[in-house]
Amino acid sequence: MRDGTIVVAGASLAGLRGAEALRAGGFSGRLVLVGDEPHLPYDRPPLSKHVLTGEIAPERTTLPGVGTLAAEWRLGTPAVGLDRAGRVLLLAGGERLPFDRLLIATGARARPWPEPAAAALAGVHTLRSRDDAAALAAALAARPERVLILGAGFLGCEAASSIRALGLPVTVVDPAPSPLAGALGQVIGGFVAGRMEGAGIDLRTGTEVTRLEGEDGRVRRARLADGGTIPADLVVVALGAVRNTDWLAGSGLDADEGGLSCDRACRALDEAGRPDDAIFAAGDVARFPHPLDGDRPVALEHWGNAVAQAAHAARAMLAGPEAAGPYAEVPAFWSNQFGLTIKSLGLTEGADAVAIVQGDPRSARFLAAYGREGRTVAAVSINAGRWLPAYEGAIREGAPFPPITGGADQPRPKPVPPGLPAPQPA
Amino acid sequence: MRVVVDLNRCQAYAQCCYAAPERFVLRGDEMLVYDPAPPEAERAAIDRAVLACPVRAIRVEPAAAEGTA
Ligand SMILES: Cc1cc2nc3c(=O)[nH]c(=O)nc-3n(C[C@H](O)[C@H](O)[C@H](O)COP(=O)(O)OP(=O)(O)OC[C@H]3O[C@@H](n4cnc5c(N)ncnc54)[C@H](O)[C@@H]3O)c2cc1C
Ligand code: SF4
């Protein structure tokens, strides 16, 4: 396909990189990007890092590539529905955008605090968008007495690190036994917990906030499941993300808050599991069969996946699914927190063993490999990113665990259970 | 100008920091902090940083292109 109309729903990282890949692949027709935010595509990773510390102003994060893209923009305009049979995207305000191909890249939003009245209290924040980060940074500038962070996943930990760096008292609560337990397991999570406490974070793992209470419309305290109370005048709710698929209700596509299902060529699947040749998905919104995990459907929240999957979807749109081949990028992400650069390759989910294969946690510079049923499935580096690429081959091939690489300086790695959550029954 | 660094790819080689020390800083062991919107006047230094990066992790869009969107 070279001309016609391609519409992109969601004007952020995946939408922009997908649109660029379409142009780079020779698409010369009409290209329209629809985004509900009023902003041009911007980069989210800085929002929980240097934007919160005040080093980067939120409006400086616009992504390179927006200026040279030959496209029409519909910003501040959510897509509200999809007429699949008629191949029309319905926009708020009534515009009907006909398309030959549609790329769905509507990403995810922050999971809100479950009790709406408490979620609406002044001082209760989530962090997903540039506007969220600007609001949170402004609230931090007013020097709250204590900041409470709900959730010790990557977002909660990064926010805790940035806010602590401002010299503010920070409490982090998570029901898991350690921070990052869901993504990295308790062994590596326990190492990060030590760094958090060393930085002066009041870390409460193994307990849960059951209620947020306010006075005069402002949050004042949180009640814990174990009966305790934490006074807090600023709360960051970091309880994970919900995929933006509500607007697809009634379209017949297989979509829910866990994602929009698609096949290996990034084609969206209908409720019967049949691919729609005109509709593709990429980025955080996409749930796709991952070859590294026996084709189990996964939905990633990784910057690198948004970029690579959008490019793959663009290839499949232009050249057809066979020519594009299956999407098989090895998942990769990074995080910066508490002076650590954490980088990951592969999928840790379901791993039954972890071993430090290079370096030493005591020097805060090491690499851990994850195994599942004797095969290498993932590797995580802490301040040791240069060692990581050497493990990509072992992960791709599912090499015996622990993997042997030329660089390994631990002659006898000692695998231990990683302390990951029990695998969900399929 | 607009700048983004692919921090999956970045290996903290710090070549960008030598080329444009005002806009790229390596903190701690390997955390790269950079200015995503450097002034156009520093274009030459930023371009040097792009070329110096051994893993080609830095992407730039000059201000001239920003105006169109
Ligand atoms: C604070 C923060 C820090 C992060 N840090 C890292 C990191 O260090 N490393 C890493 O690998 N990843 C990180 N990520 C994850 C990374 O930013 C995401 O994976 C990436 O943004 C996904 O891009 P996307 O385009 O798929 O989705 P999104 O960025 O979520 O964009 C989707 C866009 O679609 C819009 N939209 C939604 N519904 C509609 C609709 N109906 N109509 C029109 N538009 C709609 C949304 O408003 C949004 O603008 C971070 C994310 C956040 C929030
Ligand atoms: S030169 Fe490249 S690899 Fe080195 S720190 Fe800069 S961006 Fe990272």
Side-chain angles (χ1 to χ4, degrees), chain A residues 40 49 72 144 158 288 292 300 313 384:
Chain A
L40 286 164
K49 305 175 184 79
E72 295 169 39
E158 289 189 358
F288 61 102
L292 285 182
L300 302 174

Side-chain angles (χ1 to χ4, degrees), chain A residues 112-125:
Chain A
W113 179 250
E115 215 248 297
L121 287 169
V124 177
H125 292 255

Side-chain angles (χ1 to χ4, degrees), chain A residues 78-323:
Chain A
V80 292
L82 173 60
D83 170 0
R84 272 206 307 143
R87 294 195 177 174
V88 176
L89 186 70
L90 313 175
L91 306 191
E95 189 183 354
R96 296 170 60 83
L97 262 181
F99 60 81
D100 297 298
R101 297 280 185 279
L102 172 69
L103 176 61
I104 295 178
T106 45
R109 62 182 180 275
R111 182 183 295 283
W113 179 250
E115 215 248 297
L121 287 169
V124 177
H125 292 255
T126 52
L127 178 53
R128 178 80 198 181
S129 68
R130 174 189 277 186
D131 294 346
D132 294 341
L136 181 53
L140 292 167
R143 308 293 297 177
E145 276 170 41
R146 176 158 294 274
V147 178
L148 171 63
I149 297 178
L150 307 185
F154 280 105
L155 186 77
C157 288
E158 289 189 358
S161 172
S162 303
I163 296 172
R164 187 68 200 126
L166 296 171
L168 295 167
V170 178
T171 299
V172 177
V173 178
D174 194 299
S178 83
L180 307 176
L184 304 183
Q186 291 165 46
V187 173
I188 305 304
F191 168 80
V192 175
R195 295 288 289 211
M196 290 175 82
E197 287 173 337
I201 300 283
D202 169 29
L203 178 63
R204 315 273 188 100
T205 47
T207 187
E208 203 171 345
V209 168
T210 49
R211 272 166 62 84
L212 294 175
E213 293 176 356
E215 280 161 25
D216 306 325
R218 273 209 71 85
V219 70
R220 286 285 172 244
R221 70 191 75 79
R223 301 260 179 217
L224 294 172
D226 60 21
T229 301
I230 298 170
D233 48 349
L234 199 160
V235 173
V236 182
V237 179
L239 297 174
V242 181
R243 268 68 192 179
N244 291 319
T245 56
D246 325 32
W247 66 277
L248 291 168
S251 69
L253 293 176
D254 179 30
D256 52 45
E257 69 164 46
L260 165 61
S261 299
C262 54
D263 69 3
R264 297 182 188 93
C266 308
R267 284 179 299 186
L269 301 180
D270 69 12
E271 281 155 355
R274 286 174 308 225
D276 187 319
D277 285 319
I279 303 178
F280 295 72
D284 284 11
V285 76
R287 175 170 57 201
F288 61 102
H290 209 292
L292 285 182
D293 196 4
D295 285 337
R296 198 177 53 85
V298 299
L300 302 174
E301 290 174 58
H302 298 166
W303 191 95
N305 178 63
V307 173
Q309 198 174 25
H312 196 90
R315 269 193 302 279
M317 272 190 189
L318 297 182
E322 287 74 30

Side-chain angles (χ1 to χ4, degrees), chain B residues 5 9-17 24 26 32 49 52-58:
Chain B
V5 179
R9 198 179 272 213
C10 167
Q11 309 234 326
Y13 284 112
Q15 299 304 315
C16 54
C17 311
F24 297 85
L26 212 52
L32 180 68
C53 176
V55 290
R56 299 170 57 89
I58 308 172

Side-chain angles (χ1 to χ4, degrees), chain A residues 20 55 60 66-67 343 386, chain B residues 10-12 27 37 59 68:
Chain A
E20 287 184 303
E55 293 164 280
R60 295 172 76 85
V66 298
K343 289 179 135 186
R386 276 178 226 176
Chain B
C10 167
Q11 309 234 326
R27 206 176 285 169
R59 170 146 181 210
T68 57

